Amino acid sequence: MTRTRLKTTFNNIELENPFLLASAPPTRTADMIKRAFEAGWGGAVTKTIGLQGATNVRPRFGFLKERARVVGMTNFELISEKGLDLWVEAIGDVKACFPDRPLVASIMGSVEFAEWEILALAVQSAGADAIELNVSCPHGMPEQHMGAFMDQDPALIKGATAAVAAAARVPVWVKLTPNVTDIASMALAAKEEGADAIAAINTVAGLVGIDLDTFEPIPSVSRRGAYGGYSGRGVKPIALRAVSTIAATTALPVSGCGGITCWEDAAEFILAGAGTLQVCTAVMLNGFGLIRDLERGLEEYLERKGFDTLSDAVGRALPHIGDYASLDPDVDAYARVLSEKCNACGNCVPACFDGGFQAISMNGEAARVDAELCDGCGLCASVCRVGAIEMVPGHRPPSTAEASS
Ligand SMILES: Cc1cc2nc3c(=O)[nH]c(=O)nc-3n(C[C@H](O)[C@H](O)[C@H](O)COP(=O)(O)O)c2cc1C
């Protein structure tokens, strides 16, 4: 089914929808990418290609769970185990089967920047529609002066970008790490050297947990662990910040990535300035079929909000995002309990008592807010599981205690 609002162009590349598989295990082989295209993905970024294939350790994934639900995962997977020659074949294979479906080749060389050029020329000749520079792996191959050796150094990112931009006829995307203080300056460095777009974010450096019995980090490889890259739902706020900052600062097209799990996430990234979207962890957990919900949900959202095209929605949140100093401290707000919805669970009481302003108490069948004590911070509304507390903007009522709406 064609969803007309989702059609878009990014760096003059036409896409049926903005959803690309991110560079990761789901794009490990030509067959997997072809299956994803059959399922409806708008495009794909290959697993990162080096001159030689890498050798992985196992196991290499760890999970942060809330009850049975995965909040995020860490990995210390390296770039593709296949070298450049096999990828040249794989890219040709995918493009022969899906000539109109954008395939982006992710590449990684070392600080010998001529390697980046060799990789770029090879994947371009094989048929890649764009080249994504992976200068952002937080853990892999620093001993070879790749990945984690260069991800936080703008001079090295410039070197790789310049080498590829000089050689490439197809658009050059630079994929950045969030593990820096100022990601916008990294994006500007890439722009100066000819990047056509920025992809953000790669994984967040992390350690997902420690086994309480064995004292070993998770995952453990023969009783040892290592810092890895954190991804999935939990990184969405970091990614949204990165995408919006880069979009506002560089005016380059941004391919947003990091924690996209459902269509609502996708819509948020678009509003924050992303022109395309990349998904990895949610696909690893749910499979390629996820695209159906993403597409349907985003199309319906655009229609509901009156956007004829996806590009009309790109960046619509940006005028509302700024520094803290731009916020007005004189704007007042207070919490109001909707007594007909409140189930008297009492969740909000300790939150307000010990984490806030001691403004909420239980009043028989419903919570009760003392409007004079209420600071308007919003904690109670966040911990309420049934949506029975709303934050009311403006001046609070003069009474000392407000029991309900
Ligand atoms: C197991 C795994 C392997 C990954 N391998 C690569 C890679 O080879 N190249 C790359 O640029 N990013 C790689 N990534 C990062 C993802 O492409 C993506 O940027 C990150 O996971 C955030 O997106 P997500 O929250 O949708 O997973 C990998 C991520 C995971 C979880």
Side-chain angles (χ1 to χ4, degrees):
M1 176 180 181
T2 309
R3 300 191 184 275
T4 51
R5 286 182 174 76
L6 298 188
K7 279 180 189 285
T8 193
T9 55
F10 189 89
N11 285 156
N12 292 324
I13 299 169
E14 291 184 7
L15 292 118
E16 281 296 301
N17 67 61
F19 295 105
L20 288 87
L21 290 176
S23 174
T27 57
R28 211 168 47 76
T29 67
D31 284 347
M32 292 171 83
I33 297 171
K34 287 192 282 186
R35 271 200 292 115
F37 285 172
E38 273 158 25
W41 286 82
V45 187
T46 67
K47 177 76 191 163
T48 296
I49 304 165
L51 289 174
Q52 278 89 39
T55 306
N56 275 305
V57 296
R58 45 190 66 86
R60 51 185 174 271
F61 306 144
F63 294 89
L64 179 66
K65 293 184 180 175
E66 175 73 31
R67 299 193 179 88
R69 194 170 191 216
V70 174
V71 177
M73 72 181 275
T74 55
N75 82 87
F76 36 69
E77 177 166 300
L78 301 178
I79 62 172
S80 177
E81 296 181 345
K82 290 198 300 262
L84 178 60
D85 292 350
L86 289 174
W87 269 108
V88 164
E89 271 176 43
I91 291 168
D93 178 4
V94 174
K95 287 308 298 180
C97 297
F98 289 90
D100 301 330
R101 205 73 66 95
L103 180 62
V104 181
S106 168
I107 61 170
M108 184 193 282
S110 76
V111 294
E112 299 297 330
F113 299 122
E115 292 177 14
W116 292 85
E117 186 184 340
I118 295 168
L119 287 159
L121 289 172
V123 296
Q124 174 175 274
S125 306
D129 298 286
I131 302 169
E132 184 176 276
L133 278 55
N134 178 355
V135 288
S136 44
C137 179
H139 48 270
M141 305 166 100
E143 72 291 346
Q144 295 177 47
H145 294 164
M146 297 166 77
F149 184 80
M150 42 192 310
D151 66 336
Q152 300 180 19
D153 187 334
L156 298 179
I157 290 173
K158 279 184 163 194
T161 308
V164 175
R169 290 186 319 273
V170 295
V172 177
W173 303 3
V174 177
K175 182 171 178 181
L176 295 176
T177 182
N179 306 309
V180 288
T181 311
D182 180 13
I183 197 167
S185 65
M186 309 300 263
L188 286 169
K191 183 181 181 182
E192 268 175 39
E193 300 303 326
D196 297 295
I198 301 294
I201 57 172
N202 207 315
T203 52
V204 180
L207 178 66
V208 88
I210 293 176
D211 186 299
L212 295 181
D213 291 322
T214 63
F215 317 138
E216 295 165 21
I218 300 168
S220 163
V221 181
S222 293
R223 311 214 58 197
R224 280 194 69 80
Y227 301 119
Y230 186 53
S231 63
R233 290 195 85 87
V235 309
K236 190 183 95 175
I238 298 167
L240 271 180
R241 175 180 183 264
V243 166
S244 54
T245 316
I246 294 166
T249 314
T250 65
L252 280 178
V254 182
S255 193
C257 181
I260 298 173
T261 304
C262 56
W263 71 260
E264 290 93 334
D265 297 333
E268 288 179 62
F269 274 76
I270 298 281
L271 297 171
T276 54
L277 307 160
Q278 300 190 18
V279 187
C280 160
T281 303
V283 172
M284 291 182 70
L285 299 173
N286 302 295
F288 295 140
L290 179 69
I291 187 64
R292 287 191 291 276
D293 287 347
L294 293 174
E295 271 195 297
R296 188 178 53 236
L298 186 59
E299 170 84 13
E300 286 173 4
Y301 169 77
L302 293 175
E303 186 175 6
R304 202 162 55 246
K305 297 303 288 181
F307 293 119
D308 290 336
T309 67
L310 181 108
S311 58
D312 291 342
V314 172
R316 288 296 287 267
L318 290 177
H320 304 285
I321 304 173
D323 290 338
Y324 179 79
S326 66
L327 306 181
D328 182 353
D330 295 329
V331 173
D332 206 356
Y334 66 98
R336 182 162 64 189
V337 176
L338 305 169
S339 52
E340 69 281 7
K341 283 193 178 174
C342 177
N343 61 3
C345 71
N347 251 351
C348 53
V349 176
C352 182
F353 203 73
D354 296 343
F357 295 84
Q358 303 81 49
I360 302 189
S361 55
M362 290 312 296
N363 183 21
E365 296 298 297
R368 159 197 168 109
V369 177
D370 182 328
E372 277 193 358
L373 292 177
C374 175
D375 173 75
C377 71
L379 177 63
C380 56
S382 307
V383 299
C384 178
R385 295 192 186 143
V386 293
I389 303 181
E390 63 178 5
M391 299 308 299
V392 185
H395 294 292
R396 58 205 61 220
S399 62
T400 53
E402 194 209 353
S404 67
S405 57

